[in-house]
Amino acid sequence: NAGVMQNPRHLVRRRGQEARLRCSPMKGHSHVYWYRQLPEEGLKFMVYLQKENIIDESGMPKERFSAEFPKEGPSILRIQQVVRGDSAAYFCASSLGTESSGNTIYFGEGSWLTVV
Amino acid sequence: SQQGEEDPQALSIQEGENATMNCSYKTSINNLQWYRQNSGRGLVHLILIRSNEREKHSGRLRVTLDTSKKSSSLLITASRAADTASYFCAFRGIYGGATNKLIFGTGTLLAVQP
C-alpha cells in the first residue's frame, strides 16, 4: 500500500535551469496538493489540483512556476529558470476526496531542491 | 495572514516529561490537524480534531481545541527521545475560495533529551 511517492528526493540545479518534480498520489486519490518549505520554516501552500484541473493556485508564484496533474501519470511541479531563492523542500500531498468527506491529506517524503 | 502561529518555537525537555505545544489561528475552521516532521523527512499525520470536538486522545497524544479562542494544544505525555521532531498544526479554513487546502502553523521544534 504505497504512500505518496515523490521523485527525485534530491535535485541540484544551476541558476537558470529547469526543475521538474514528480508526485504520484496514493492509489485511488484524485486530489493533489503541492507545498513548499523553506529552511527553518513551515509549509506554505502552493497549488491544489484534481485530475486535469487546477482548483486553487493562490500560493503559486506568478512567474516561472507551473503545475499539472494529467489524466494519466504523476503530477508535475515545474520551475523554470531557477534562482537560489527556489532552494527548498517541495512536498506533495494527496487525498481521496474533499473536506466535506473529512478526508485526511497524506504527504510524500518531499523533494529537496538546491540551486547552485 | 492565514498562517497559524505556534508557540513555543522551540522546546527542550527531559525524557519522561510532558511537552505542550500551542497553535492559534485566525479564520473559522472545519477541523484542525497535527503533523510531525523529523529532520529531512516528510510529514506524518498524528491526529485530527473536528470543530465540534473539544478534546481527543491518541496513545500518548492529547489534543484540545477551543474554537472561541481559535486555539489548539498538543500534549505529548511521557516523552521519549524518539519524539524529537518538529510539530505542526494545520487546518482547513472557511473563507472565500477553495476550502480544501491545509494551512500550516509555523511549527514547534521539540528536543527530548535522553
Side-chain angles (χ1 to χ4, degrees):
Chain A
N1 184 18
V4 179
M5 304 300 291
Q6 290 188 247
N7 71 83
R9 289 294 315 281
H10 298 276
L11 182 64
V12 179
R13 284 287 179 266
R14 295 187 184 281
R15 281 178 294 173
Q17 290 185 321
E18 178 180 287
R20 281 187 180 233
L21 310 177
R22 296 174 196 79
C23 170
S24 296
M26 284 183 72
K27 187 175 181 180
H29 286 194
S30 60
H31 299 246
V32 166
Y33 317 79
W34 284 94
Y35 287 79
R36 176 165 64 176
Q37 185 178 34
L38 295 170
E40 311 299 325
E41 293 188 14
L43 276 75
K44 298 289 176 60
F45 169 79
M46 297 181 76
V47 63
Y48 162 37
L49 311 104
Q50 292 181 36
K51 282 288 186 181
E52 299 184 276
N53 290 305
I54 295 174
I55 306 302
D56 181 352
E57 56 182 348
S58 57
M60 286 282 270
K62 294 284 186 285
E63 297 174 345
R64 303 187 297 107
F65 284 72
S66 63
E68 61 177 11
F69 188 18
K71 187 177 180 180
E72 302 290 338
S75 176
I76 306 286
L77 179 67
R78 182 183 178 204
I79 311 172
Q80 295 178 289
Q81 300 175 317
V82 296
V83 300
R84 287 227 171 101
D86 297 333
S87 295
Y90 292 84
F91 288 94
C92 173
S94 72
S95 67
L96 184 61
T98 62
E99 167 60 28
S100 60
S101 49
N103 286 283
T104 298
I105 293 179
Y106 295 90
F107 281 81
E109 287 289 299
S111 289
W112 267 257
L113 172 65
T114 302
V115 180
V116 297
Chain B
S1 169
Q2 298 167 358
Q3 189 176 24
E5 297 289 330
E6 289 184 60
D7 77 273
Q9 286 188 328
L11 180 61
S12 181
I13 59 175
Q14 296 293 126
E15 222 170 11
E17 294 180 335
N18 295 342
T20 300
M21 290 157 265
N22 303 295
C23 169
S24 61
Y25 55 91
K26 295 180 180 176
T27 185
S28 297
I29 63 171
N30 286 326
N31 61 57
L32 187 141
Q33 307 177 47
W34 285 89
Y35 285 82
R36 166 196 167 123
Q37 183 182 33
N38 286 75
S39 180
R41 302 297 299 274
L43 279 80
V44 175
H45 182 260
L46 295 176
I47 195 167
L48 179 152
I49 186 166
R50 299 189 187 285
S51 58
N52 61 353
E53 297 176 309
R54 291 297 168 259
E55 187 171 313
K56 200 161 183 179
H57 296 254
S58 177
R60 293 185 295 113
L61 305 180
R62 174 177 161 247
V63 170
T64 63
L65 179 65
D66 187 336
T67 52
S68 66
K69 294 181 179 178
K70 290 185 164 53
S71 67
S72 174
S73 67
L74 171 67
L75 168 68
I76 304 174
T77 60
S79 63
R80 306 166 182 166
D83 294 330
T84 294
S86 291
Y87 292 83
F88 294 93
C89 66
F91 50 89
R92 278 156 153 159
I94 303 175
Y95 44 82
T99 63
N100 211 41
K101 64 191 182 192
L102 280 177
I103 305 297
F104 281 82
T106 48
T108 293
L109 177 59
L110 173 66
V112 181
Q113 311 297 333

